[in-house]
Amino acid sequence: MIYPKDFENKIGFKSVKDRLTDLCISEMGKEFVEKMRFSSDIERIKTRLSQIEDFLSLLQNGVPFPVRDYNDLREEFHHLRIEGTVINVESLFALKPTLSALSYVLNFFKSESAEKVKSLKALSEGIEIDRHIFTEITRLIDDKGEIPDNASADLLEIRREIRRKQSSIDRRMRKILTDAKAAGWTDSNAELTIRDGRPVIPVKAGDKRALRGFIHDESATGQTVYIEPAEIFDTNNEIRELEYAERREINKILLAFTNLLRPEIPALLKAWNLLGLIDFIRAKSLLSNEYKCVVPEIHDEPMFLWRQARHPLLEQKLKSQDKHITPLDLNLDKDNRILVISGPNAGGKSVCLKTIGLVQYMLQCGLAVPMEIDSKCGVFHDMFIDIGDSQSLENDLSTYSSHLLNMKELIRHGNSRTLFLIDEFGTGTEPQLGGAIAEAIL
């Protein structure tokens, strides 16, 4: 149990999550940040921390793990599951670099090097993608996002014929333009132009009947008309028909690839989940470096043996002001299990509580923590915090009443595996009465 509902905001964990989100490069990775939850399962915690250690070792050893082109195509995959649907060229282009990154990841996990990062390797178990998909997509789309001529024999022949006819039209159009200039039907500086996808010649309005052809447009002043010469009209129609044939052939190519892709979609969805998870683990590793975190020794019991623990957000803020943080040592065990801190205002009591809450919560969410490597950390089943003024006009609660309600929740749900952090115990009422209540609750 985590209490209260705004626990993460109160201890500053939301800011940690925001930074993690910034470090992710994909929507899939960001979704894992949002789904990150507190766990009291020590094996799960150790696995998550081991993944960070493994990825940090990859970073330190300069292994060129792919960290880009994780395009989110899961919605497209779900759409393509439907028979008769066809992948479009834009999605095919987005798919190519991501499949390339996926291919590298899967090949890496099959290599001997992956034996050194077994917790990461385990993530790829059961994911197998037909190798033909990787080779086909390389053949079917180029680095400019276009279907190349050699995608099929028919497409190659169609495009050759289009280029041949376009070249023929271009030669004939230039000759007609030269003749029109010589006859004075066209200005001497006029050039060929395009109207409605057709090559046309700008002709003076008074001479529009001198050049036999089809008028496609006229200038704003009406002094110039744009004519497609009649002698190239049929060839242009042939090109238009070839362009329709080109589109049909491209659709045929895309349909064939979609049919190849469709049986692999369940595996591809798993693979995209893997890419998102790797992105998430990478972000946690980068955050670990940024906050100078470690993976301490973990025990499945409520205890602390922290050395030089630091509040990561406070440390970052002080660093920006060219100041240094004062680290925290903490030692609590089954015999010494409650610590009461007293001292003057602005003495660091609340900072101490928030540091303990944030660092412990980070650890049990599977994040490395800012402390010395020889530290030892316990695992709690519940975390309870009462920090700050929780008075509520809406619920007719004073500061004192809100504290009492929080203490009621602690007494009702707390047990031997609960970490509780209470700031200014017994405040909000007359000091002697508040002290007696605090003593009774403690």
Side-chain angles (χ1 to χ4, degrees), residues 275-311:
L275 290 177
L277 188 52
I278 288 172
D279 183 22
F280 174 52
I281 294 168
R282 170 185 172 272
K284 292 199 291 183
S285 302
L286 294 177
L287 188 79
S288 175
N289 281 338
E290 190 174 300
Y291 289 166
K292 297 182 177 62
C293 295
V294 300
V295 174
E297 185 179 313
I298 304 175
H299 297 263
D300 194 9
E301 59 180 297
M303 55 86 69
F304 293 94
L305 186 55
W306 288 7
R307 299 284 182 260
Q308 303 290 287
R310 309 174 314 278
H311 192 295

Side-chain angles (χ1 to χ4, degrees), residues 134-319:
F134 296 103
T135 55
E136 273 296 279
I137 198 167
T138 302
R139 188 179 68 82
L140 294 181
I141 195 157
D142 62 23
D143 292 337
K144 296 178 182 178
E146 298 174 354
I147 306 293
D149 294 353
N150 61 359
S152 78
D154 288 345
L155 184 62
L156 178 61
E157 185 56 36
I158 291 168
R159 286 181 173 173
R160 278 179 178 170
E161 188 63 14
I162 290 173
R163 285 192 288 267
R164 189 183 66 79
K165 290 184 179 297
Q166 285 176 336
S167 179
S168 171
I169 286 176
D170 187 60
R171 289 193 303 271
R172 289 159 67 189
M173 285 289 287
R174 292 193 180 281
K175 185 178 184 308
I176 295 170
L177 178 62
T178 300
D179 292 343
K181 287 180 179 179
W185 305 334
T186 300
D187 291 337
S188 59
N189 60 349
E191 295 292 341
L192 295 176
T193 187
I194 301 293
R195 288 292 186 275
D196 299 327
R198 301 266 190 157
V200 294
I201 293 174
V203 176
K204 296 174 183 176
D207 295 313
K208 63 183 179 182
R209 300 191 186 281
L211 180 62
R212 195 167 63 89
F214 302 87
I215 298 175
H216 283 271
D217 198 4
E218 66 176 25
S219 65
T221 61
Q223 296 179 358
T224 302
V225 294
Y226 298 92
I227 299 177
E228 178 185 6
E231 62 183 276
I232 69 158
F233 182 77
D234 289 340
T235 308
N236 269 330
N237 282 343
E238 290 170 7
I239 290 176
R240 185 63 60 90
E241 289 175 6
L242 285 168
E243 287 172 346
Y244 290 147
E246 179 187 22
R247 291 176 197 168
R248 289 194 297 272
E249 182 60 23
I250 288 175
N251 189 71
K252 181 179 173 183
I253 291 167
L254 294 175
L255 178 59
F257 181 76
T258 304
N259 289 336
L260 175 68
L261 196 69
R262 188 170 290 116
E264 300 296 316
I265 286 178
L268 287 168
L269 288 170
K270 288 182 181 178
W272 254 244
N273 185 73
L274 170 64
L275 290 177
L277 188 52
I278 288 172
D279 183 22
F280 174 52
I281 294 168
R282 170 185 172 272
K284 292 199 291 183
S285 302
L286 294 177
L287 188 79
S288 175
N289 281 338
E290 190 174 300
Y291 289 166
K292 297 182 177 62
C293 295
V294 300
V295 174
E297 185 179 313
I298 304 175
H299 297 263
D300 194 9
E301 59 180 297
M303 55 86 69
F304 293 94
L305 186 55
W306 288 7
R307 299 284 182 260
Q308 303 290 287
R310 309 174 314 278
H311 192 295
L313 303 176
L314 178 60
E315 185 174 33
Q316 292 279 307
K317 184 176 181 180
L318 291 175
K319 186 178 179 181

